[in-house]
Amino acid sequence: MSLSDPFVIGSGLPVPPPLWPRSTSTTRIENDADAIRVAQLLAAHLKQNAAAREQSDHFPLEELNQYSSSGLWGITVPRSHGGAGVSYATLGTVVQTIAAADGALAQIAQNHWAAVAVIASCGTENQKEELFGLILDGKRCGNAFSERGNKTLTDLKTQLVREGDHVIITGKKYYCTGALAADLVPIVAVDDQGLAWLAIADRNTEGLTVLNDWSAFGQRQTGSGTVLLENVKVPVTRVIPAWKSYLPDTPRPDSAISQFIQAAIDGGIAQGALDETVSFVKTRTRAWIDSHQDHAHEDPYTHHILGGLFARLSACRALLDVAGKTIDAALIHATPDTVAAAQIATAEAKIFTTELAIEATNRLFELAGTAATDTRYNLDRYWRNARTHTLHDPVRWKYAIVGDYYLNGAFPPLHAWS
């Protein structure tokens, strides 16, 4: 495979926008039950070649097209605008299901759903009508949010300047998951007062360049590389005041939504690793000599460890379900109290999913044995994916905000990482 191919992972080359319209039309999912059913069918398909795909050096464009055309990317569009308007508890189940099959593909959609949430909470009715219509037709949102080299995550240098009916944006973004194959690129930029706006540019806008330079050892196929912005023009009608979600007196649960999806991805990776552990122990692992058993799956110490891991997986699912319902409640009645409750419920879920994802992907090898390290199985992808994705924001701070909330009644900070 030649490095002249822009879709080779880590090539560093600019990637052309995806073709539109795509060869396959996008399904319209009607309700929560349909969303879960479609996710289960898609996950079963994606899992078949997941190990080989992750070892490939090529971005999984075909599988991504299957994923987005399934209709799952539009399930959080409100019913008032033609979507299924599924609950966030349902979205959590969908994300976990996909992530158990392929953690990288699951993450690519994360910022898309986060963008849908911002449009719903801060967009005008005209913006919702246009953008939700595009999304339901199958257009994918990427991400041009984070930057490198700044003092903190929220210390953004990318600015937007108003010029007539457009804004002009110049800057450099990194960790741009989904932008590589996006149709729309939501860009976070600040105005002259330091307020953050979400400008949603067409992927083929002049001056917008996506580089395939993501080179992490995990979540390799997310394409989370660089977006260059050189005097990019975005119509004012596509510029959304994202800062309004973080006003202390009138917050919205957008930060909880973003974190919730991240937690669900980690929960799914843990589930996938545990499923692989069970399969390998039952079919390939030898019994330990001192167990006096004929088969590894009869080892009582293996029973004990897996019992604890599966119990914690059930706890993760329950916590994600609670967090999803708490987010749903905050969307219906957004107040400082309900938004803080959603943030705390999400933080509690994220503590459990982060720690379980790392432990389950590590225990896989302890229980499956040396044979599981054979590269033909590519089982290390679970640990690499978990270790990489759980670095998205430090779980030690989740402990801190949860403790401060219950001890002192302190609300979590209002930003996209809390």
Side-chain angles (χ1 to χ4, degrees):
M1 192 174 292
S2 171
L3 285 181
S4 62
D5 182 350
F7 287 96
V8 171
I9 294 169
S11 68
L13 296 173
V15 181
L19 296 177
W20 184 264
R22 282 182 272 281
S23 58
T24 304
S25 61
T26 301
T27 302
R28 292 282 182 106
I29 290 175
E30 298 293 333
N31 53 50
D32 294 59
D34 280 348
I36 293 172
R37 178 184 57 80
V38 170
Q40 290 170 339
L41 291 172
L42 179 64
H45 171 72
L46 294 176
K47 188 175 177 63
Q48 292 176 7
N49 298 312
R53 185 167 59 247
E54 201 273 345
Q55 287 179 317
S56 165
D57 285 331
H58 210 264
F59 183 80
L61 188 58
E62 179 181 347
E63 289 78 12
L64 183 64
N65 285 339
Q66 293 171 350
Y67 187 11
S68 62
S69 67
S70 71
L72 291 172
W73 291 44
I75 58 176
T76 57
V77 172
R79 293 180 184 177
S80 58
H81 288 85
V86 305
S87 70
Y88 274 92
T90 292
L91 180 63
T93 299
V94 166
V95 174
Q96 290 172 83
T97 301
I98 300 299
D102 189 318
L105 279 171
Q107 187 184 344
I108 293 176
Q110 189 270 334
N111 290 298
H112 172 93
W113 285 312
V116 170
V118 176
I119 296 166
S121 64
C122 299
T124 65
E125 285 304 309
N126 287 339
Q127 289 173 327
K128 293 175 186 178
E129 182 177 357
E130 182 207 0
L131 294 168
F132 287 155
L134 294 174
I135 288 166
L136 290 171
D137 284 342
K139 289 209 168 185
R140 300 186 289 249
C141 292
N143 146 38
F145 300 166
S146 295
E147 300 174 7
R148 277 179 157 179
N150 301 350
K151 183 178 179 180
T152 67
L153 289 168
T154 56
D155 179 29
L156 300 178
K157 296 178 181 177
T158 302
Q159 293 189 322
L160 80 172
V161 178
R162 177 76 178 262
E163 284 192 8
D165 293 335
H166 291 77
V167 295
I168 309 298
I169 304 174
T170 297
K172 184 176 182 179
K173 300 288 188 175
Y174 196 65
Y175 305 117
C176 299
T177 304
L180 189 152
D183 305 290
L184 303 169
V185 181
I187 305 163
V188 175
V190 295
D191 61 18
D192 56 4
Q193 298 180 43
L195 296 175
W197 297 74
L198 192 69
I200 302 179
D202 288 320
R203 174 70 168 75
N204 59 1
T205 301
E206 184 177 355
L208 194 160
T209 304
V210 180
L211 301 180
N212 189 354
D213 58 351
W214 175 241
S215 59
F217 65 67
Q219 297 293 83
R220 295 178 62 249
Q221 297 197 319
T222 59
S224 302
T226 299
V227 170
L228 303 177
L229 306 162
E230 302 176 62
N231 296 315
V232 171
K233 292 179 67 174
V234 180
V236 171
T237 55
R238 290 273 194 90
V239 180
I240 297 171
W243 54 270
K244 289 186 176 180
S245 289
Y246 303 105
L247 295 174
D249 294 334
T250 56
R252 301 287 293 174
D254 292 356
S255 63
I257 289 170
S258 179
Q259 291 292 296
F260 173 76
I261 300 168
Q262 304 284 17
I265 292 168
D266 295 331
I269 292 172
Q271 177 185 323
L274 287 173
D275 290 344
E276 292 277 15
T277 304
V278 168
S279 176
F280 207 93
V281 169
K282 291 178 71 173
T283 60
R284 301 197 64 86
T285 304
R286 294 183 296 181
W288 182 241
I289 186 172
D290 295 325
S291 71
H292 305 297
Q293 301 293 337
D294 294 328
H295 306 286
H297 61 79
E298 297 170 325
D299 185 332
Y301 292 107
T302 299
H303 297 169
H304 176 83
I305 294 172
L306 276 175
L309 291 171
F310 274 102
R312 288 165 61 192
L313 178 62
S314 294
C316 286
R317 289 171 174 161
L319 286 168
L320 284 164
D321 192 56
V322 169
K325 291 176 180 177
T326 310
I327 289 169
D328 290 330
L331 287 168
I332 294 170
H333 184 53
T335 68
D337 290 292
T338 61
V339 169
Q343 289 177 289
I344 292 298
T346 300
E348 291 171 344
K350 200 167 194 307
I351 287 170
F352 269 66
T353 59
T354 293
E355 295 182 351
L356 180 62
I358 294 169
E359 183 174 1
T361 56
N362 184 41
R363 292 281 198 172
L364 189 164
F365 299 99
E366 176 186 345
L367 299 179
T370 307
T373 66
D374 193 315
T375 55
R376 61 180 160 162
Y377 302 123
N378 195 23
L379 294 177
D380 61 301
R381 74 187 187 275
Y382 289 102
W383 183 87
R384 290 185 287 103
N385 287 344
R387 184 62 282 180
T388 299
H389 186 260
T390 54
L391 295 176
H392 186 272
D393 46 272
V395 74
R396 62 186 181 274
W397 278 93
K398 302 304 181 192
Y399 277 103
I401 65 172
V402 170
D404 202 15
Y405 176 80
Y406 287 113
L407 186 62
N408 301 310
F411 286 177
L414 286 168
H415 57 64
W417 294 269
S418 175

